[in-house]
Amino acid sequence: MNDLVLPAELARAIEREGSAAYPNECCGILYGRDVGNERRVERLEPVTNTYAADEQYHRFSIGPKDLM
């Protein structure tokens, strides 16, 4: 199993997305590659939580178009 490497600036971006979505769940996709024994995150893509609006405070779903 590879170690996940998340650069500090991307970790801060995740924190900002989470704070902006609060109290609901936020969603995003991590892009990167395996390099040696590391799985390096190189880019984030925030996506819309497509779960029913009244359930987003404790559930999340990423739509199929976002996954494509």
Side-chain angles (χ1 to χ4, degrees), residues 1-46:
M1 184 180 285
N2 295 345
D3 292 329
L4 182 68
V5 177
L6 180 65
E9 66 270 10
L10 296 181
R12 286 190 296 275
I14 292 170
E15 289 175 356
R16 285 191 302 273
E17 289 292 326
S19 293
Y22 182 82
N24 293 334
E25 297 284 341
C26 67
C27 297
I29 299 170
L30 307 176
Y31 294 93
R33 58 193 167 110
D34 290 338
V35 178
N37 290 331
E38 295 179 340
R39 181 160 281 179
R40 295 182 186 172
V41 178
E42 298 173 336
R43 183 170 66 96
L44 303 173
E45 182 71 30

